[in-house]
Amino acid sequence: MPTVSNSQRVLSRGVPRRFENRASEAAVRVMSETAHDLRAPLTTIRESVRLVRDGDLGDVTPGQTICLDSAIDQCHCMEQMINDMVQVERLRTGTPRVQRQWVSVRTVRESIDETLRPWVMPRDIDVLWDGGEDPKLRIFADPAMLRRLIVNLVTNALRVTPQSGQILIRLQELDSLFLRWSVVDMGRGLTQRELESIADRQVSFSGGEGLGLSICRQLAALHFSKLTIQSRLGSGTEVSFQT
């Protein structure tokens, strides 16, 4: 059997990594440009469906209204995906528009619930909150980015949550200075090898490309926090960060 020198081993590992990084950057650029192009036709589709649902083009039965409402909800979901695709390019190039301010946790919760509704209703999944009920509780954060971070984590959890299941969003005050946000699912959990792959290669929870997870890490970093993942096989996964 032919032998391979140490220098050859280094090259065999290094060259594919450089090609992989270049391919990844090119893919992000193409994805962002495609996302911009998708916005206009998606808006046209959604508004056309809305015209039919509202009866502007004729009478609509209650059953048809339900179907059209569902179609509009799915358009909202697609819009969220498109926004994520655009956001990852801004984060990669270091030009995110961060607008941190003091904001009520209750306000953030309400915006998250509103955004998640189209995702959870079709599968009858309950998103439960534990903590953060105090109306005086405020945090220093970018409300839009924080909402996007939580929504992305919940949509990750949705992929491993069965029909009529539950997802928990837990808020814990730490030393009266920090608030710990955790999204907990009751899916199959992750093995140690999967956790290492997620940490090393940005692989997603479902085993595919980790775009959503990569965005979450960067959104957490914009709030001066790391993204912490804890999981036990057969018991579910908890993903946390702090504000």
Side-chain angles (χ1 to χ4, degrees), residues 18-31 89 92 209:
R18 288 198 296 271
F19 285 136
E20 180 181 342
N21 291 340
R22 291 174 187 171
S24 177
E25 291 178 2
V28 168
R29 285 195 299 271
V30 171
M31 180 177 59
E89 171 66 7
R92 186 188 68 82
E209 294 301 323

Side-chain angles (χ1 to χ4, degrees), residues 128-191:
L128 308 177
W129 288 86
D130 178 17
E133 292 87 1
D134 185 354
K136 297 181 180 179
L137 185 60
R138 304 173 72 200
I139 53 172
F140 190 68
D142 183 312
M145 288 191 173
L146 181 58
R147 174 184 56 80
R148 188 182 300 274
L149 172 52
I150 293 293
V151 168
N152 282 356
L153 291 177
V154 172
T155 52
N156 269 336
L158 282 171
R159 298 188 180 99
V160 297
T161 301
Q163 184 88 11
S164 303
Q166 295 179 336
I167 296 171
L168 176 66
I169 304 177
R170 180 188 296 128
L171 280 68
Q172 298 171 287
E173 294 185 59
L174 307 175
D175 302 327
S176 301
L177 294 175
F178 297 96
L179 188 66
R180 179 182 177 89
W181 301 70
S182 302
V183 175
V184 185
D185 68 59
M186 292 181 286
R188 68 173 183 84
L190 301 168
T191 66

Side-chain angles (χ1 to χ4, degrees), residues 65-162:
T65 299
I66 293 174
C67 290
L68 294 169
D69 282 338
S70 178
I72 292 174
D73 285 343
Q74 292 307 307
C75 286
H76 291 324
C77 293
M78 291 179 64
E79 183 177 39
Q80 175 71 27
M81 295 177 189
I82 289 172
N83 289 337
D84 286 343
M85 293 165 69
V86 173
Q87 183 72 17
V88 74
E89 171 66 7
R90 290 177 180 169
L91 293 171
R92 186 188 68 82
T93 57
T95 58
R97 303 184 186 122
V98 185
Q99 297 180 344
R100 301 183 192 90
Q101 58 186 282
W102 286 104
V103 59
S104 164
V105 170
R106 177 174 290 181
T107 300
V108 175
R109 283 183 49 166
E110 290 172 353
S111 68
I112 290 171
D113 283 337
E114 182 68 24
T115 305
L116 285 173
R117 188 169 292 112
W119 296 84
V120 300
M121 285 185 63
R123 296 181 56 194
D124 193 29
I125 291 177
D126 289 328
V127 177
L128 308 177
W129 288 86
D130 178 17
E133 292 87 1
D134 185 354
K136 297 181 180 179
L137 185 60
R138 304 173 72 200
I139 53 172
F140 190 68
D142 183 312
M145 288 191 173
L146 181 58
R147 174 184 56 80
R148 188 182 300 274
L149 172 52
I150 293 293
V151 168
N152 282 356
L153 291 177
V154 172
T155 52
N156 269 336
L158 282 171
R159 298 188 180 99
V160 297
T161 301

Side-chain angles (χ1 to χ4, degrees), residues 154-242:
V154 172
T155 52
N156 269 336
L158 282 171
R159 298 188 180 99
V160 297
T161 301
Q163 184 88 11
S164 303
Q166 295 179 336
I167 296 171
L168 176 66
I169 304 177
R170 180 188 296 128
L171 280 68
Q172 298 171 287
E173 294 185 59
L174 307 175
D175 302 327
S176 301
L177 294 175
F178 297 96
L179 188 66
R180 179 182 177 89
W181 301 70
S182 302
V183 175
V184 185
D185 68 59
M186 292 181 286
R188 68 173 183 84
L190 301 168
T191 66
Q192 185 61 35
R193 178 173 295 181
E194 287 172 324
L195 285 170
E196 291 171 358
S197 296
I198 288 171
D200 181 47
R201 296 163 46 199
Q202 304 285 293
V203 174
S204 69
F205 300 143
S206 57
E209 294 301 323
L211 172 61
L213 183 59
S214 177
I215 292 174
C216 289
R217 290 184 190 278
Q218 294 178 74
L219 290 174
L222 290 173
H223 289 88
F224 312 106
S225 175
K226 293 182 179 179
L227 203 66
T228 303
I229 303 174
Q230 296 178 308
S231 187
R232 178 178 295 178
L233 195 62
S235 299
T237 302
E238 176 178 336
V239 187
S240 307
F241 65 95
Q242 296 180 14

